[in-house]
C-alpha cells in the first residue's frame, strides 16, 4: 500500500520585480553608465528579437555570493556576483570588518569594472569579513551578506564546507534550499543502501534521505529501482520548481525510501517507481507522480533528471529513463513533470519505440530555435517543449556517442550549433558539427573504420580564430571554419572539461584534478600543459569516473566557475574558486537560462555553456529575459 503520511505543500506566489523596467544590457569589460551598446552580431540581434515578445522565465533570486580567498601571503581576492537583472552602470563598494570591528570601505572610487577586488591592506593574522554594497544612480544600496576569511587562513583558491562523516560522494547538486539567496548543497553517499544529505551554504547539516534496500543493486546498466548516481543514471536534481524562492529536491523513488522527516514510502512491487519532490529544508515528501509502467515488465528504469523551461516561463522536471530487455536492447522513455507547490503532474511522455533516435550519456535542455522556450536534446535527437520529436539525426548516419555540446560556437552565424562524438559508428564517423535548431550536419570527420571516440569538448581556447574550437582525439579544430587550429594533432588538449578561471575570455581546462591552460603560441601535448592548479595539493580527491569533480558551475563570486571536490575522508567539500582578478564584467552564468539548466543535469559530467558566445572578441551579451522568484527566506 502507498505511504500516506506525507507533508502538504505550501504554495507560494511568484512576483515579477519592478527592476525589469530599469534593466539594461550588461557589459564585457569595464563599462560606464553612458557606454553605448556595441552593434550586436546577427545571432545576437535575432535572439534579442525572438525573446522580446516572450514572457520572462522565473529564475532564482540570488544574493551577491561574496567570496574571499587568500591569493598570496599579503593579498585577498574578494569576488561577487553581477546579477542578471542588475541595471546598466551599477557599481559597488567593498567593505571589510577586521576581528569583528566596524566595516570600513576599501575602494576610493565606486567599482564599475570586474566584480572583484584585490585587498592588500588586511591584517591576515586576524579574521576579516567582506561585504559589498551596490551603488545605483550614485546612491549606495543595502549591503550584501558577508563572507569571513578566518585568521591566519591558508593561501589557497579554496572554500571548505564541512560534511558529516560518511561514505564516498560522487555528485553534488546546488540550490537555494533555505531561501537566503545563496546556494546550498545536496550530496550523495555511495554506500549500501545509498543516502542523500543536504547542507546549508555554511555546512550546517539539514537532513538525510535513506534510499532504501532497492538502492543496494548498484549495477551501472540495470540498477535497483531507487539506486542513484551509477553510470550515467543520477536519479536526482535540485531546483526551485514552484518558484517560491526555495529549491526542492526531485528524486526517483521506490519501495523502502525513508524521507528526511522519518516517513517511509512503501509498495509491494519493488520494480514500481515514482518521481518525488522533497522539501529542500527538511527532506520531507511534498508530492509524487508515478513513473509510467509501459516497460515495467522489463524491470525498473534508470533515470537521468534535469530542468527545462518547456513553456518558456516556469521550470519542469525532465527525465530520461531506460531499462533493458532480455535480448540486450533498451527501452527509452522521456517524460516531463510540473510541480506547482501542490501537485506534481506529468505533462507528457515520449517513447522511442522503433524510431531511429540515437541517445547518449548526457542530456541538455536549451532553446535551440530562439523562440524563448526550451527543447530537450540528446546526442542524436531533439524533443520540442510539448514532447514531440523535433528532429532526429539518426537517418543522417548519427548513432550513439558519449558526449555532445550545444552552444553559440559561431557568433557570426545565427543560432546555436552542436558538436558530438561517436561510438563505433559503422560508417567510420568520428565527430560532427551541426545546426542545433534543425539537425543539419555542417561538417563531419571520418576515420578508416569504426572507433569509440569517447571524449569530446567545445570551447574557445584559441583567440587567433573566431568562435569556438572543438576537439576529440583527431585534432583541435576551429568549429566555424572546420580548420585545424593546431596542425599537429598530438598537441591538442585532452577533451575532458572546460572551466573559466584565469580572467581572460578563453576557456581553461579541467582534467584529472588539474586546471590547465592550452597555449596556442606554445602548444604542448595533453600531458604537459601549463598548470594553474593541482587540486590534490589542497586535499581534493577525484570522484565520478575517477577523473571528475562532484560538480562544476558558477556558484560563488563573479562569472568564473567553481569546481567542487571532497577530501579523502569525505567529510569536507573542497570548492575551488579563482584567486585571479579580472577586469571582465559579466552577469553570473547562473542567471543565463541555458547555463542554469545545464547545472541541473549530470549523466557523464560535461561542461556548461551559456546561450551566447563567451570567448575572445565576444560581443556584449544580451540581457537575459528573466524575472526573479519571490523571496523564500
Amino acid at each position: 500500500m502507498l505511504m500516506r503520511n506525507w507533508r502538504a505543500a505550501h504554495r507560494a506566489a511568484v512576483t515579477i520585480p519592478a527592476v525589469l523596467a530599469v534593466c539594461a544590457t550588461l557589459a564585457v569589460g569595464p563599462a560606464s553608465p553612458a557606454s553605448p551598446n556595441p552593434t550586436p552580431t546577427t545571432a545576437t540581434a535575432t535572439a534579442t528579437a525572438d525573446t522580446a515578445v516572450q514572457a520572462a522565465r522565473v529564475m532564482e533570486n540570488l544574493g551577491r555570493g561574496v567570496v574571499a580567498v587568500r591569493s598570496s601571503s599579503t593579498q585577498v581576492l574578494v569576488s561577487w556576483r553581477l546579477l542578471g537583472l542588475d541595471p546598466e552602470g551599477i557599481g559597488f563598494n567593498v567593505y571589510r570588518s577586521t576581528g569583528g570591528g566596524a566595516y570600513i570601505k576599501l575602494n576610493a572610487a565606486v567599482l564599475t569594472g570586474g566584480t572583484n577586488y584585490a585587498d592588500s591592506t588586511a591584517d591576515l593574522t586576524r579574521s576579516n569579513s567582506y561585504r559589498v554594497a551596490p551603488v545605483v544612480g550614485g546612491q549606495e544600496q543595502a549591503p550584501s551578506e558577508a563572507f569571513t576569511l578566518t585568521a591566519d587562513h591558508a593561501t589557497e583558491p579554496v572554500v571548505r564546507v564541512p560534511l558529516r562523516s560518511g561514505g564516498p560522494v560522487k555528485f553534488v547538486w546546488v540550490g537555494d534550499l533555505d531561501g537566503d539567496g545563496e546556494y546550498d548543497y545536496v550530496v550523495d553517499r555511495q554506500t549500501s543502501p545509498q543516502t542523500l544529505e543536504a547542507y546549508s551554504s555554511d555546512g550546517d547539516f539539514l537532513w538525510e534521505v535513506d534510499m532504501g534496500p532497492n538502492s543496494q543493486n548498484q549495477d551501472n546498466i540495470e540498477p535497483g529501482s531507487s539506486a542513484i548516481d551509477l553510470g550515467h543514471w543520477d536519479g536526482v536534481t535540485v531546483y526551485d520548481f514552484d518558484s517560491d524562492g526555495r529549491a526542492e529536491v526531485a528524486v526517483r523513488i521506490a519501495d523502502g525510501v525513508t524521507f528526511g522527516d522519518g516517513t517511509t514510502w512503501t509498495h509491494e512491487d519493488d520494480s514500481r517507481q515514482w518521481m518525488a519532490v522533497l522539501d529542500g529544508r527538511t527532506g520531507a515528501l511534498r508530492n509524487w507522480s508515478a513513473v509510467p509502467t509501459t516497460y515495467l515488465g522489463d524491470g525498473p528504469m534508470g533515470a537521468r533528471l534535469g530542468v527545462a523551461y518547456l513553456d518558456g516561463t516556469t521550470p519542469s522536471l525532465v527525465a530520461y529513463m531506460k531499462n533493458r530487455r532480455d535480448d540486450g536492447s533498451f527501452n527509452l522513455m522521456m517524460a516531463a513533470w510540473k510541480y506547482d507547490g501542490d501537485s506534481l503532474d506529468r505533462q507528457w511522455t515520449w517513447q522511442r519505440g522503433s524510431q531511429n533516435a540515437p541517445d547518449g550519456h548526457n542530456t541538455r535542455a536549451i532553446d535551440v530555435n530562439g523562440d524563448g522556450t526550451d527543447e530537450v536534446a540528446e546526442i542524436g535527437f531533439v524533443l520540442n517543449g510539448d514532447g514531440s520529436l523535433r528532429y532526429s539525426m539518426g537517418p543522417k548516419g548519427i548513432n550513439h556517442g558519449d558526449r555532445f555540446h550545444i552552444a553559440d560556437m559561431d557568433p557570426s552565424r545565427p543560432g546555436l550549433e552542436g558538436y558530438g562524438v561517436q561510438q563505433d559508428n559503422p560508417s567510420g564517423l568520428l565527430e560532427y558539427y551541426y545546426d542545433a535548431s534543425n539537425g543539419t550536419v555542417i561538417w563531419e570527420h571520418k576515420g578508416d573504420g569504426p572507433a569509440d571516440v569517447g571524449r569530446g569538448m567545445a570551447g574557445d581556447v584559441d583567440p587567433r580564430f573566431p568562435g569556438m574550437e572543438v576537439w576529440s582525439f583527431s585534432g583541435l579544430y576551429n568549429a566555424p571554419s572546420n580548420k585545424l587550429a593546431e596542425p599537429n594533432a598530438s598537441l591538442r588538449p585532452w577533451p575532458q572539461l572546460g572551466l573559466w578561471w584565469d580572467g581572460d575570455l578563453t576557456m581553461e581546462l579541467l582534467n584529472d584534478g588539474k586546471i590547465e591552460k592550452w597555449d596556442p603560441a606554445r602548444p604542448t601535448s595533453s600531458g604537459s600543459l601549463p598548470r594553474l592548479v593541482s587540486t590534490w595539493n589542497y586535499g581534493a580527491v577525484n570522484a565520478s569516473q575517477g577523473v571528475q569533480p562532484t560538480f562544476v558551475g558558477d556558484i560563488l563570486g563573479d562569472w568564473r566557475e567553481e569546481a567542487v571536490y571532497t577530501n579523502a575522508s569525505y567529510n569536507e567539500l573542497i570548492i575551488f574558486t579563482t584567486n585571479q582578478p579580472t577586469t571582465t564584467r559579466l552577469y553570473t552564468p547562473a542567471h543565463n537560462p541555458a547555463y542554469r539548466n545545464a547545472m541541473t543535469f549530470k549523466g557523464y559530467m560535461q561542461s556548461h555553456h551559456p546561450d551566447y558566445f563567451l570567448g575572445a572578441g565576444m560581443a556584449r551579451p544580451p540581457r537575459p529575459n528573466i524575472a526573479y522568484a519571490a523571496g523564500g527566506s
Side-chain angles (χ1 to χ4, degrees):
M1 185 169 89
L2 289 178
M3 183 274 301
R4 302 291 182 187
N5 184 13
W6 57 283
R7 189 180 301 274
H10 170 71
R11 185 173 186 177
V14 174
T15 61
I16 308 299
V19 73
L20 272 172
V22 297
C23 290
T25 303
L26 302 175
V28 176
S32 67
S35 297
N37 290 343
T39 301
T41 64
T42 301
T44 302
T46 300
T48 303
D50 287 342
T51 57
V53 297
Q54 173 69 29
R57 67 176 65 197
V58 182
M59 295 185 71
E60 295 155 312
N61 194 351
L62 294 173
R64 292 291 167 190
V66 177
V67 63
V69 296
R70 188 168 176 175
S71 53
S72 74
S73 61
T74 59
Q75 196 167 78
V76 173
L77 183 70
V78 186
S79 177
W80 60 94
R81 291 188 187 107
L82 189 69
L83 302 173
L85 297 185
D86 277 340
E88 178 79 359
I90 188 173
F92 296 92
N93 291 325
V94 181
Y95 290 85
R96 182 188 69 214
S97 166
T98 300
Y103 278 92
I104 61 170
K105 189 170 74 168
L106 300 180
N107 51 299
V110 175
L111 303 174
T112 58
T115 55
N116 55 90
Y117 179 84
D119 177 18
S120 58
T121 64
D123 178 0
L124 297 176
T125 66
R126 305 171 70 190
S127 67
N128 290 279
S129 297
Y130 294 90
R131 67 189 190 188
V132 300
V135 180
V136 179
Q139 299 298 310
E140 186 172 280
Q141 311 297 306
S144 69
E145 294 297 318
F147 181 94
T148 299
L149 195 68
T150 57
D152 297 311
H153 199 282
T155 301
E156 58 181 11
V158 161
V159 173
R160 298 180 185 272
V161 177
L163 302 177
R164 300 193 308 173
S165 295
V169 174
K170 180 175 180 178
F171 285 140
V172 170
W173 298 262
V174 300
D176 183 6
L177 302 177
D178 55 15
D180 67 353
E182 303 301 338
Y183 283 126
D184 307 301
Y185 307 102
V186 175
V187 308
D188 63 10
R189 296 288 190 177
Q190 292 297 309
T191 51
S192 185
Q194 297 167 311
T195 60
L196 284 175
E197 296 174 353
Y199 295 85
S200 73
S201 57
D202 295 326
D204 295 329
F205 173 74
L206 300 178
W207 49 260
E208 176 186 276
V209 168
D210 185 332
M211 297 307 296
N214 283 307
S215 69
Q216 292 176 319
N217 171 10
Q218 296 174 12
D219 182 83
N220 278 0
I221 296 176
E222 296 182 284
S225 53
S226 64
I228 58 174
D229 299 344
L230 309 162
H232 65 178
W233 310 121
D234 47 59
V236 182
T237 199
V238 177
Y239 203 73
D240 182 6
F241 287 101
D242 60 355
S243 301
D244 69 347
R246 293 183 297 269
E248 290 78 41
V249 177
V251 56
R252 192 259 287 106
I253 64 169
D255 178 62
V257 172
T258 300
F259 303 109
D261 61 356
T263 58
T264 299
W265 183 269
T266 59
H267 193 276
E268 64 273 9
D269 184 348
D270 285 345
S271 293
R272 283 295 307 274
Q273 296 168 301
W274 291 262
M275 289 296 167
V277 172
L278 311 184
D279 189 302
R281 295 163 296 178
T282 66
L285 181 65
R286 298 278 292 273
N287 218 318
W288 69 85
S289 178
V291 171
T293 59
T294 311
Y295 301 123
L296 185 62
D298 293 310
M301 306 197 80
R304 186 161 70 230
L305 306 186
V307 170
Y309 284 70
L310 302 174
D311 62 3
T313 58
T314 56
S316 294
L317 170 65
V318 174
Y320 159 105
M321 299 173 287
K322 290 177 80 172
N323 62 6
R324 188 160 66 170
R325 298 189 285 267
D326 290 342
D327 63 4
S329 60
F330 289 90
N331 302 305
L332 172 60
M333 176 191 298
M334 300 184 75
W337 284 265
K338 178 75 74 176
Y339 178 67
D340 65 3
D342 288 321
S343 60
L344 180 63
D345 299 310
R346 181 156 41 92
Q347 296 170 273
W348 49 257
T349 304
W350 178 84
Q351 297 166 8
R352 179 168 59 187
S354 60
Q355 298 174 85
N356 185 1
D359 63 316
H361 293 293
N362 59 307
T363 303
R364 296 185 183 272
I366 187 170
D367 177 10
V368 299
N369 64 338
D371 68 352
T373 64
D374 289 335
E375 286 74 44
V376 181
E378 283 291 321
I379 196 167
F381 68 91
V382 171
L383 301 182
N384 291 308
D386 63 1
S388 61
L389 182 66
R390 180 176 181 85
Y391 65 79
S392 172
M393 292 187 288
K396 301 174 185 179
I398 306 301
N399 69 4
H400 172 84
D402 283 2
R403 287 164 171 79
F404 76 107
H405 299 260
I406 294 178
D408 189 3
M409 300 185 196
D410 182 354
S412 69
R413 182 181 186 276
L416 305 176
E417 293 78 41
Y419 165 75
V421 299
Q422 293 284 273
Q423 183 175 22
D424 298 327
N425 192 305
S427 73
L429 181 64
L430 304 175
E431 55 189 352
Y432 56 100
Y433 177 70
Y434 61 99
D435 185 316
S437 176
N438 56 31
T440 299
V441 176
I442 300 171
W443 56 253
E444 58 185 28
H445 297 154
K446 290 187 175 181
D448 295 333
D452 183 359
V453 178
R455 299 283 188 276
M457 253 300 294
D460 185 17
V461 296
D462 193 336
R464 300 174 301 173
F465 300 91
M468 289 187 182
E469 281 67 52
V470 294
W471 66 100
S472 57
F473 298 108
S474 54
L476 177 74
Y477 286 83
N478 175 250
S481 65
N482 189 25
K483 294 180 179 178
L484 282 169
E486 168 48 54
N488 185 343
S490 68
L491 297 181
R492 52 101 186 100
W494 187 263
Q496 188 67 25
L497 288 169
L499 187 75
W500 286 290
W501 178 271
D502 69 0
D504 65 22
L505 289 170
T506 55
M507 180 181 279
E508 285 67 63
L509 305 168
L510 178 60
N511 174 44
D512 197 14
K514 305 180 295 289
I515 299 176
E516 302 172 319
K517 184 79 170 181
W518 189 78
D519 184 353
R522 290 173 291 277
T524 52
S525 61
S526 61
S528 56
L529 266 63
R531 190 173 305 171
L532 305 177
V533 176
S534 298
T535 60
W536 56 83
N537 287 339
Y538 304 96
V541 297
N542 285 326
S544 64
Q545 301 173 2
V547 297
Q548 302 278 39
T550 63
F551 176 88
V552 170
D554 180 30
I555 57 175
L556 294 170
D558 65 21
W559 57 276
R560 272 85 61 82
E561 295 176 291
E562 281 67 48
V564 182
Y565 292 80
T566 69
N567 62 354
S569 299
Y570 310 114
N571 60 7
E572 182 180 65
L573 294 181
I574 303 177
I575 304 173
F576 287 85
T577 187
T578 188
N579 58 359
Q580 301 188 26
T582 183
T583 58
T584 296
R585 166 181 281 216
L586 290 170
Y587 70 85
T588 173
H591 272 163
N592 181 268
Y595 187 99
R596 185 63 182 95
N597 284 353
M599 285 170 61
T600 68
F601 286 94
K602 300 293 188 184
Y604 284 3
M605 188 181 293
Q606 292 293 277
S607 292
H608 316 318
H609 304 283
D611 54 19
Y612 60 85
F613 172 68
L614 203 171
M618 67 182 288
R620 180 180 303 189
R623 177 179 62 82
N625 187 34
I626 66 173
Y628 298 148
S633 57

